[in-house]
Amino acid sequence: MKIIIKSPREIALIKKAGSILADTFDYLKVHTKSGISTLELDKLAERFIRNKGGIPTCKGYEGFPGAICISVNDTLLHGIPSRKIILKEGDIVSYDICVTYEGYIADACRTFPVGEISTEAKRLIDTAKNCFFEAVKLIKPGVHLGDISSKIHEIGTEAGYTLTEEFTGHGVGREMHEDPSVPNFGEKGTGVILKEGMVIAIEPMLNEGKVDLYIQNDGWTVKTVDGKLSAHYENTVAITKTGYEILTLEKGEELWPSKM
Ligand code: MF3
Ligand code: CO
């Protein structure tokens, strides 16, 4: 394992990538409406990111065709934008986005409602977000990564959801996926000890039903086997001298969970 410690200058560049990314969420939120295709949303996101001076990192990454990943309802991860996938009232849609700015990458994901959604779907989305914020609060130098992972798992399972062990968060920097791996399960007091200058993507993923997933034959789209909903919430976080800094928040998001 090779964990790359970032300098304040490098963290500032990731934060700049993160601010473009957060603005992209605000922009996509406005366009998240019944009738729009995920391909149209992808085009909007790509143009927005490039206009702000960023690069949509996912485009061409290991052959991924989209600028961002767009995952609807029972798709947990890596949905390929498509003109055939049209949002409809009551859907939930996640945008998983990486932005590169001057060689540095920020990675984040939000799940949004399409119009009015069920209270159950809303609870799923809110719990994914809550997993992140409850876990991130624990971060400071000297804390074990297992403390973060186990908190995400605890909040998710106590709310009645399942969490995959197949996909995890990760370090992020010049590469989209760096060490360490940041699982959504683990044992307190185990694993990597966090240090100032580490930058990690923490990404709770929750399934409403069973934990089982499959990958569609497009080689990317990850879906729940039982067809139930899934939600995903992710931010890029820097470990600071005294705690942490979230590098991918939209304005107002730092107020969570007071709005719950
Ligand atoms: N943010 C996603 C992840 O960390 C990126 C997926 S890679 C892509 O898993 F190629 F699908 F974009
Ligand atoms: Co990620």
Side-chain angles (χ1 to χ4, degrees):
M1 177 154 39
K2 184 170 181 292
I3 299 175
I4 301 163
I5 298 295
K6 276 82 183 180
S7 67
R9 177 193 147 267
E10 291 177 297
I11 290 172
L13 290 172
I14 298 171
K15 192 173 179 179
K16 172 66 189 177
S19 83
I20 296 171
L21 205 171
D23 289 348
T24 310
F25 287 139
D26 285 336
Y27 177 69
L28 287 177
K29 197 189 293 186
V30 177
H31 292 276
T32 302
K33 291 202 179 111
S34 172
I36 194 165
S37 74
T38 61
L39 186 65
E40 288 171 275
L41 288 158
D42 186 73
K43 297 289 167 225
L44 289 171
E46 177 164 11
R47 193 165 356 111
F48 186 89
I49 291 165
R50 292 193 192 280
N51 280 343
K52 298 268 176 174
I55 296 167
T57 322
C58 291
K59 185 121 198 179
Y61 178 84
E62 293 183 9
F64 188 76
I68 67 173
C69 298
I70 308 184
S71 304
V72 181
N73 293 340
D74 58 331
T75 300
L76 172 61
L77 283 173
H78 303 165
I80 298 177
S82 165
R83 79 164 62 78
K84 293 191 195 136
I85 303 175
I86 317 277
L87 299 185
K88 57 178 197 313
E89 183 85 9
D91 284 348
I92 62 172
V93 56
S94 75
Y95 304 117
D96 189 355
I97 309 181
C98 291
V99 170
T100 307
Y101 184 80
E102 292 185 16
Y104 286 85
I105 299 167
D107 183 2
C109 181
R110 299 287 183 270
T111 304
F112 290 123
V114 182
E116 280 298 311
I117 61 170
S118 67
T119 49
E120 182 47 36
K122 185 170 188 315
R123 191 176 74 92
L124 178 72
I125 293 174
D126 287 349
T127 307
K129 191 167 174 180
N130 211 24
C131 283
F132 172 86
F133 280 98
E134 289 301 318
V136 82
K137 283 198 293 203
L138 304 175
I139 291 184
K140 58 181 183 204
V143 164
H144 286 87
L145 200 48
D147 295 11
I148 311 308
S149 295
S150 71
K151 179 56 82 178
I152 292 171
H153 192 264
E154 177 190 314
I155 303 279
T157 53
E158 278 179 0
Y161 301 124
T162 61
L163 297 90
T164 182
E165 299 191 2
E166 293 169 69
F167 298 93
T168 67
H170 47 89
V172 58
R174 287 192 159 276
E175 301 291 334
M176 192 194 296
H177 296 136
E178 296 182 356
D179 284 334
S181 167
V182 182
N184 292 322
F185 63 96
E187 293 288 322
K188 276 186 204 163
T190 67
V192 166
I193 295 174
L194 298 176
K195 289 196 177 61
E196 183 183 0
M198 289 181 182
V199 178
I200 55 176
I202 302 175
E203 44 185 316
M205 301 166 220
L206 298 182
N207 305 306
E208 185 183 42
K210 296 213 172 76
V211 75
D212 310 78
L213 303 171
Y214 71 100
I215 300 180
Q216 263 182 207
N217 44 23
D218 59 22
W220 285 101
T221 312
V222 179
K223 288 186 170 254
T224 61
V225 171
D226 61 14
K228 294 199 176 182
L229 297 179
S230 57
H232 183 189
Y233 184 89
E234 175 182 21
N235 283 306
T236 296
V237 179
I239 289 84
T240 63
K241 198 188 292 298
T242 53
Y244 62 92
E245 182 179 8
I246 305 172
L247 305 176
T248 46
L249 284 186
E250 323 74 298
K251 286 163 207 79
E253 286 299 277
E254 71 282 355
L255 300 174
W256 186 269
S258 60
K259 290 184 289 185
M260 253 190 116

